[in-house]
Amino acid sequence: MAEIIQKDGTWIFDGDALRLTPGRDKTVGLLRRELGELLVPLRALAGISFEQGKKAGRLRLRLREGADPLLQATGGRLAEPHDPYQLTVESDRYGVAEYFTDEVRNALLLDQVPSDPVDRYLLPGPRVPLSASAGDGTAAFDGERVRLEWNWKTEEAKSSAGSRTLDMSDITAVEWHPAAGLENGHLRFTVRDFPTKLSPKYDPHAVELWGFKKDPLMALVAAAVQARLPHPAAPADDTAGTRQISPAPAPPEDDHDALLRRLRELGELHRSGVLTDDEFAVAKQAILKRM
């Protein structure tokens, strides 16, 4: 097991999954605190990196495309304080961070986890029910319906129709955009049989965001809804968007025969040129350690 504890949070890797727990430091973003602890299966990872700086470094996880509904709904637009897949590392813990990185990389190589996109969500998304208030409204989601309610700052043309309740069966897409520069952001739901090109300011199915502190919480609502929509890469005849891929059974730690078979497989990959000398040496050492 590998573990790194920082003010920014704690990451633990047990060989099968990473447990990411946000810290209590004031620099930890509101979204990370509300999202809470995340359990990321190894098979959802495409890679890990550690970047050193003069005063602090940064651990970064790269997830396989389509594995996480939060990243799918936000399109990679989460700012640094709110990104749950980054961890600030103090300079006196660089050695620990490098060891942690090596352990995860070895496991990815040993288990032959591919880095290509997936057609099923491998993370469940935020827990429901949840509610967030920001910009010109409040968005609440109970797992089956989204309810949008407006406040005194809402444009009258949008608020005059009253609050909106959207069934999951009517929602075809969801997106979250943060405010950037002079451009406002939004949380927008695309509703079946209701195409619109209205700006979020006037769209009755969108909450307009103005770049304030609570804006990222709307991304949690977007992710919870995204997790219950059909996966964008799912086969055309498969509407079970939230169904997850069953992991291949891993050999027990003390199953020497299975580890020996894996060692022979790695040898064949090395001889065929798929693995470099260095990659083979790292994978071989990881197997020997488990034996």
Side-chain angles (χ1 to χ4, degrees), residues 124-142:
R127 293 183 293 272
V128 294
L130 57 83
S131 177
S133 297
D136 68 353
T138 296
F141 181 52
D142 62 5

Side-chain angles (χ1 to χ4, degrees), residues 222-239:
V225 172
Q226 185 72 58
R228 289 159 177 81
L229 289 172
H231 194 284
D237 60 346
D238 184 0
T239 58

Side-chain angles (χ1 to χ4, degrees), residues 96-109:
V96 177
E98 290 172 347
Y99 171 76
F100 189 95
T101 302
D102 288 342
E103 287 294 293
V104 176
R105 284 178 176 169
N106 289 345
L108 287 170
L109 187 59

Side-chain angles (χ1 to χ4, degrees), residues 148 150 158 164 166 187-189 191 194 203-207:
L148 302 176
W150 315 117
K158 183 163 73 172
R164 311 284 294 188
L166 309 175
L187 168 69
R188 188 197 298 272
F189 300 93
V191 178
F194 195 92
D203 188 347
H205 301 136
V207 176

Side-chain angles (χ1 to χ4, degrees), residues 208-273:
E208 187 179 34
L209 304 174
W210 300 317
F212 297 135
K213 180 180 178 181
K214 292 186 177 180
D215 284 11
L217 295 182
M218 288 292 185
L220 296 181
V221 178
V225 172
Q226 185 72 58
R228 289 159 177 81
L229 289 172
H231 194 284
D237 60 346
D238 184 0
T239 58
T242 59
R243 190 174 62 200
Q244 299 185 2
I245 299 173
S246 299
E253 289 283 334
D254 57 353
D255 189 342
H256 284 64
D257 289 341
L259 293 175
L260 286 172
R261 287 196 299 272
R262 181 63 60 85
L263 193 59
R264 286 195 294 269
E265 292 172 359
L266 290 173
E268 292 173 0
L269 292 172
H270 179 232
R271 286 191 294 273
S272 64

Side-chain angles (χ1 to χ4, degrees), residues 80-147:
E80 187 175 288
H82 306 290
D83 188 344
Y85 304 115
Q86 297 187 33
L87 181 72
T88 301
V89 179
E90 298 165 19
S91 58
D92 61 347
R93 290 293 182 269
Y94 282 1
V96 177
E98 290 172 347
Y99 171 76
F100 189 95
T101 302
D102 288 342
E103 287 294 293
V104 176
R105 284 178 176 169
N106 289 345
L108 287 170
L109 187 59
L110 183 61
D111 288 359
Q112 300 181 36
V113 177
S115 60
D116 55 334
V118 296
D119 60 3
R120 298 290 187 278
Y121 292 123
L122 304 181
L123 281 81
R127 293 183 293 272
V128 294
L130 57 83
S131 177
S133 297
D136 68 353
T138 296
F141 181 52
D142 62 5
E144 297 180 357
R145 286 171 292 276
V146 172
R147 184 169 178 81

